Every structure is written in structure tokens, then in C-alpha cells.
Amino acid sequence: MFQHFSRRRRAGAALAAVSVVVCGATSAIADRALTTVPFKDGFESGTTAAFKRKGIDGTGAVSVTGAPGGRGGKAVRFVMPNDGASYRTEIATERVPYGSYRYTFANYLPADWTSYGAATIVSQWHGGTGTNPAVVLAIKDDRWMMVIHSKVGAQAMQEVKYDLGPARLGRWNQWSFDITWSTATTTGSIIARLDGAQVGSHRGPNSYHQDTAPYHKIGLYRPNWQAWKGHKADSTPDVVDYYDDVTITPISPGATVPPATTSPQVPPNTTATSSPERPAASVSASAQMSGPAPATGPTMPASASGADEVPEDTDTDTDNDAKPLAETGASSQLPIILAFGSALLAAGLALVLRSRAKAAKRRAAAQIR
């Protein structure tokens, strides 16, 4: 009786050990390639090592240098030459789990920045290969714009554009984006602030409901400079901007969700142009995720380039070891597979222990006889 009880205890201990090991492995693998939160980098190390991804198309450059504009300390400088081949110079964090975050950063557009009639993206939150960025901060002409892309289930991709007001050159802009990433059960929201003042808000889907929430890119991305769109080198100066003090901080979702009736606010002395633009393929409200619809409000005027202003991203990474997003990060199926394997392993171990116990019992009975 004592031997039988001891065997059961050993079997239980073995199963517990297996569960701990497998659960630990599951957690470790599921969390790979995720950004540590809170995240903070002011580039005082002299490198961009905290950003695990770098994407340069053409001959652009990323370097850490003294911060301009009397800021002091260091900042990261992005340069994108007008050479007919360069259209993107960016660095990016890894992904984060779904949740609510405050993304803050300061960016600086030099006083000699040349106005451009199509979007120049300076910050974006991207979901992965083959998708439009979920959230975009860009400058078009002389105004800031925020673009939201989302896709829920089988519906067509949704796009909403917001005018965030005039861009001022030769000065640091302190940005804050409070984002609750949307999921099948969470209504997304965004509050954008510039120098402490709210300049835009959005309520509704704001992601593609992938395995994890989008990751944050900073730098320069001018889609219309891609050669296949016919762009050729000309006398337009190189595009330059600076970034400093990039942070990601978890926040309470209740503090970030604007009322359903909130509209993006435009700074004084600016004019709303029209309602937010939505693609012609928009679906009915019943087909969208439950929750209030995106807020209506001012938007950027349409341009001839249309949807090509913010194209799908190939997520090509160069000059680092990070693989494209589709090949890294947590997989929603991996924990399930590992859990299933754990269950099979535990069941197999239990059968082995039970078989050994029965064999020992038979041997004991044979000895008695």
C-alpha cells in the first residue's frame, strides 16, 4: 500500500514538473520578439541599438548626433536623399501585446524642410507584411495628418484620415498618442496630443486583429518616391528629420477612450475640410466590430495619388538580424500547439508510470506465490 502511494506521488510530481517546464517554454516562446514595456530611449548611448529593426531603401542614413534646435543631448537623425532610389529610412521597435499604451516622442523638422504635396510619413504603427500601417503620422503640404487603417473579419479595409493642424518647422514637436488597440472584444481608441494639447481622436477599430498589436516605426517614408511610381531624382533637397525621447508606457484603458461623440479637434485658426474619408468598399455598421463608430471630424483633402499615399508595406528589413514581422513574434497558434503537446506528453508519462506500477505489482504477486 505504501509503495503504491509512493508511486502515485512520484507520478504526480513528474507530471507537475513536466507541466512547469512546458508552460515555461510556452511562455518564453510566445513572448519572443516583443518589445519590453515600458520602453524608453533618448539615444544618449550614441546608438539606435534599442530599436531592433532598421529599414533603408536606397542610400538613406540613420545616425545619432547632437540634437538641433537648442534641445541639448543627442537625437537620432534620418536622411533620405532624392536620388531616385531612396524612399524609406526608418527604425522600429518590436511588437507589443494588445493593450493600452502611451507612445511619446519628440520630432524636429528643420527650418529648410521643403513642402511636398503628398504624404511624408514620419511615424507609423505597423501590423506586418502586406498591410497598410494601422496608424500613421505624416506631413502633407504643411499640415500634420493622422491616418487610421483597420480590418475586422472579412470586411474590406477601412481608412479614416484626420487633419491634426499646421506643421511648424525649426522647432521640436512633443507628441503623445494614447492608443487602446482594438481586438474582437475591445473597442479601440486613439487620442493624439501635440505639445500637451489634444489635436485629434478616434474611436473604433484601429488594427488588423493579428497575433499581437502593431509595432512602432520612426523616421522617414515617402511612398511617392518609389521608382515604380515614376519618381526620378531631381533638385529637391534631401529629406531630413530628427527624433528624441521615444517611450512606450502602459496606461489604463479607461483613461484613453474618448466619448463616442468626440470629434478630432483642430488647433485655433485652422479649418475643417470635410468629413473623414472612407473607402468606397466600406461595409455596413452591422458588419463592423461592435462598439461606437469612428468619430467624425476634419480630414485631409483628397489628392490625385489617393490610396497610394499610404501603401502596403513589404516590411523589408536591412542592416540588422530581424526577420520580417510575419516570421517573428508571438503566434496565436503556438501556445495551443505546445499545450496540446504538453497534454500528450503528460498522458504518455502517466501511461508509462501506470504500466510500470502494474508490472511491479505483478512481480510482487509472483514472488508471493
Side-chain angles (χ1 to χ4, degrees):
M1 179 70 177
F2 178 77
Q3 290 180 345
H4 180 62
F5 180 71
S6 297
R7 291 191 188 101
R8 291 183 62 183
R9 290 186 63 181
R10 286 197 297 270
L15 288 174
V18 170
S19 297
V20 169
V21 171
V22 174
C23 288
T26 300
S27 177
I29 295 175
D31 287 343
R32 66 190 175 93
L34 296 178
T35 291
T36 301
V37 177
F39 172 92
K40 181 177 182 179
D41 191 20
F43 306 103
E44 296 307 310
S45 68
T47 73
T48 59
F51 293 79
K52 303 303 182 182
R53 296 170 175 271
K54 180 186 291 184
I56 298 178
D57 291 278
T59 61
V62 179
S63 61
V64 177
T65 184
R71 185 176 181 86
K74 297 178 180 178
V76 59
R77 181 175 186 260
F78 299 90
V79 179
M80 192 168 64
N82 186 9
D83 56 10
S86 302
Y87 62 91
R88 169 168 49 188
T89 305
E90 297 178 303
I91 59 176
T93 66
E94 296 288 8
R95 302 188 287 179
V96 296
Y98 279 104
S100 300
Y101 302 92
R102 174 166 293 160
Y103 299 84
T104 67
F105 51 86
N107 70 353
Y108 179 94
L109 304 181
D112 60 356
W113 175 278
T114 300
S115 180
Y116 188 65
T120 302
I121 298 172
V122 297
S123 198
Q124 59 176 301
W125 289 260
H126 214 289
T129 303
T131 62
N132 295 75
V135 181
V136 165
L137 173 66
I139 179 173
K140 178 181 178 182
D141 294 317
D142 296 312
R143 301 189 69 82
W144 292 112
M145 61 185 294
M146 178 172 69
V147 185
I148 314 297
H149 295 109
S150 63
K151 188 176 187 301
V152 180
Q155 74 173 42
M157 185 195 73
Q158 305 294 297
E159 179 183 82
V160 187
K161 296 180 181 180
Y162 298 97
D163 183 349
L164 302 187
R168 290 182 286 175
L169 307 178
R171 64 183 297 276
W172 283 94
N173 304 284
Q174 183 61 51
W175 291 96
S176 173
F177 286 81
D178 287 0
I179 302 179
T180 293
W181 293 109
S182 65
T183 68
T185 57
T186 302
T187 300
S189 67
I190 302 173
I191 293 179
R193 296 182 178 91
L194 175 58
D195 297 330
Q198 182 174 320
V199 292
S201 69
H202 171 87
R203 181 174 169 86
N206 59 13
S207 77
Y208 292 83
H209 299 184
Q210 295 170 307
D211 292 348
T212 59
Y215 60 99
H216 188 198
K217 291 184 179 184
I218 62 173
L220 291 166
Y221 186 9
R222 184 166 281 183
N224 280 17
W225 271 17
Q226 296 179 74
W228 69 269
K229 294 186 177 181
H231 178 72
K232 297 180 180 179
D234 58 34
S235 59
T236 304
D238 296 349
V239 184
V240 178
D241 77 342
Y242 297 81
Y243 260 81
D244 198 9
D245 293 333
V246 180
T247 73
I248 307 174
T249 308
I251 58 176
S252 168
T256 67
V257 180
T261 56
T262 298
S263 297
Q265 299 179 11
V266 180
N269 302 320
T270 62
T271 304
T273 57
S274 64
S275 297
E277 298 174 2
R278 292 180 173 80
S282 297
V283 297
S284 65
S286 62
Q288 298 186 24
M289 185 184 71
S290 60
T296 58
T299 178
M300 295 298 300
S303 70
S305 57
D308 283 344
E309 288 183 11
V310 187
E312 290 186 358
D313 197 345
T314 58
D315 198 39
T316 302
D317 291 325
T318 60
D319 298 339
N320 71 356
D321 296 328
K323 295 181 180 179
L325 178 62
E327 300 178 20
T328 62
S331 167
S332 60
Q333 296 180 355
L334 183 59
I336 297 174
I337 295 172
L338 290 177
F340 181 69
S342 173
L344 289 178
L345 182 60
L349 181 58
L351 289 174
V352 169
L353 293 174
R354 183 178 179 183
S355 176
R356 288 182 177 179
K358 287 183 176 180
K361 186 175 182 180
R362 286 194 298 268
R363 287 194 297 269
Q367 291 176 357
I368 294 174
R369 293 173 185 171

